[in-house]
Amino acid sequence: MYSKEEAKKIRLQFWEQFGKRCEIHPLLRERRKKWMLHRTKIPGVALRFEADRTDAKVILELSQRNEDKRLKAFEIMQNYKVILEDGFADALIWEFFHEREDSGQEVARIYNVLPGVNIFRQNQWLDIFNFFIENMVRLEENFLQIRDILKEELDNYQ
């Protein structure tokens, strides 16, 4: 078991090493901005990485505070499920309700998971990094195909 300070240090090292891996990965070398993340051009829609003691996730998160608008965004995404899941070996996990541990905020999530990995095991970092890169590239590309439609429909939603 790690102290709070030790765990924080390991997490920091993990994300620093991930950044270095992104700099040299062939899929990312030519990109000016490595990841879209919060720059989706749609308020309340973000892409996220998450890793903990049990798994790693690549997430498309809907965090609109208005529950009706979040439900509408989730429904729109479901209409384009075939596009969002294109290229993934297994179906993405669709979770309408998730409470974020860090903030308690209610969000909806669409994600892919790599089970059985632990951020505190350095010998698993490369597997997590490769999972993150391959799956986030795919999720970003698929999201970009429907982004304008989602933005327009949410802008028109009252």
Side-chain angles (χ1 to χ4, degrees), residues 84-102:
L84 279 174
E85 292 187 344
D86 184 44
F88 287 95
D90 298 314
L92 297 175
I93 298 167
W94 295 70
E95 186 178 12
F96 174 68
F97 177 82
H98 177 83
E99 187 173 329
R100 290 193 50 190
E101 290 180 24
D102 59 347

Side-chain angles (χ1 to χ4, degrees), residues 43-44 62-70 103-106:
L62 308 171
S63 61
Q64 291 85 353
R65 296 213 180 271
N66 179 311
E67 189 174 352
D68 291 335
K69 196 163 189 173
R70 189 170 63 244
S103 65
Q105 181 183 7
E106 294 176 7

Side-chain angles (χ1 to χ4, degrees), residues 127-142:
D127 293 335
I128 297 170
F129 297 161
N130 289 333
F131 169 80
F132 276 170
I133 292 168
E134 292 165 15
N135 286 274
M136 185 59 84
V137 166
R138 187 171 297 117
L139 189 58
E140 280 185 356
E141 289 172 353
N142 294 353

Side-chain angles (χ1 to χ4, degrees), residues 2 9-10 147:
Y2 296 103
K9 184 178 177 183
I10 291 170
R147 176 177 64 186

